[in-house]
Amino acid sequence: MNTELMPPEHDEPEHEAGSVMAFWDHVEELRWVLIKSLVAFFLSFCLVLAGAVWFSDVLQWPLVQAYEMMGQSGQDIQLRTDGPNNVFAFLIQLGFFGSIALALPFMLYFMIQFVAPGLTSKEKRILRPVFLSIIGLFFAGLLTAFFLLVPFYLYMSLKFEAMFHFASFWTPVKYYGIVVWTSLGLGLLFQSPLVIILLIYLDIVSAEQLRKSRRYAMFIILVIAALLTPGGDPFTLAITAGPLYALYESAVFIGSLLRKKKVAAEEIEWEDDIR
């Protein structure tokens, strides 16, 4: 038998070994992404706890605004604990959620660094605007909740308490839970335009279909807003649903423009290939 025509016996095992090594290289890179993300979270947690008094005062701003809308701006506002463990639960809550907000940009950056090497140059060009859009929309939703939704909800709560002659007894855990969960929840919901734009851009769904489905979209938005709204009253529901619906319409419009631009570019490339 002519052995010169036969491939070396070690070629296939080397190829398999190379694939295995490439796989474990990716696993190692992913491990470092997780490590760096945890470090960013831990440092943010320490920073929040170090400035816990300052962060606590800042997060009381919606409550101060609610009392001012009630005409009680000079009142001494105090949150009351209902047990010795309440303050420790508050510190854990403040540190955890505060760390998520502070470390999120770094976590996204580390993840983009991990994904970028596998993308084409054209795909890499959109990473920066996508990254900035995610961060911008998240903080836009967070600030909308903090400066608009939560103060108005607290004002309505105080208004009804006064109407029924109830005395306020708000614990730090419950108050900060409302502020944090509502703010972070709306920040995450503000990411929905990016999903809609991506679906239109990839031609998974058309802008025309989404325009025809406005009634269903509005119903879904109202359901989500009802789940997110702390008290579920129609006033705060409208404040929550309004910006979400505006984002929906904006996303459909932007997605339609980007889809048309992509189709036009593909047609130009196709004509160039024919020539």
Side-chain angles (χ1 to χ4, degrees), residues 205-217:
V205 65
S206 69
E208 189 60 31
Q209 288 174 321
L210 292 175
R211 291 191 182 102
K212 290 179 180 179
S213 304
R214 282 190 176 99
R215 290 177 297 176
Y216 304 106

Side-chain angles (χ1 to χ4, degrees), residues 75-134:
Q75 180 172 333
D76 183 23
I77 301 171
Q78 286 186 342
L79 298 172
R80 296 169 173 82
T81 59
D82 58 358
N85 295 328
N86 200 271
V87 66
F88 299 107
F90 153 71
L91 287 173
I92 294 173
Q93 182 185 60
L94 180 66
F96 180 78
F97 290 108
S99 301
I100 291 177
L102 292 179
L104 179 64
F106 300 99
M107 292 178 177
L108 287 175
Y109 179 73
F110 298 145
M111 186 57 66
I112 287 175
Q113 280 187 320
F114 172 72
V115 174
L119 302 178
T120 64
S121 57
K122 187 176 180 180
E123 292 170 335
K124 287 179 181 179
R125 285 198 296 268
I126 68 172
L127 275 181
R128 184 175 181 179
V130 168
F131 172 75
L132 294 176
S133 298
I134 291 174

Side-chain angles (χ1 to χ4, degrees), residues 178-237:
I178 290 173
V179 175
V180 170
W181 277 111
T182 305
S183 300
L184 290 181
L186 199 61
L188 293 176
L189 279 177
F190 266 47
Q191 305 300 312
S192 57
L194 292 177
V195 177
I196 295 173
I197 291 172
L198 182 63
L199 292 175
I200 297 174
Y201 184 78
L202 298 176
D203 201 26
I204 297 174
V205 65
S206 69
E208 189 60 31
Q209 288 174 321
L210 292 175
R211 291 191 182 102
K212 290 179 180 179
S213 304
R214 282 190 176 99
R215 290 177 297 176
Y216 304 106
M218 190 63 198
F219 174 76
I220 294 173
I221 288 172
L222 286 173
V223 171
I224 294 173
L227 294 173
L228 182 65
T229 302
D233 61 274
F235 303 103
T236 48
L237 182 64

Side-chain angles (χ1 to χ4, degrees), residues 17 38 52 84 95 100 122 131 135 157-158 166 173 182 214 219 228 231 243 260 275:
L38 288 174
I100 291 177
K122 187 176 180 180
F131 172 75
I135 299 300
S157 178
L158 291 172
F166 295 157
V173 171
T182 305
R214 282 190 176 99
F219 174 76
L228 182 65
K260 290 177 182 177
R275 293 172 186 172

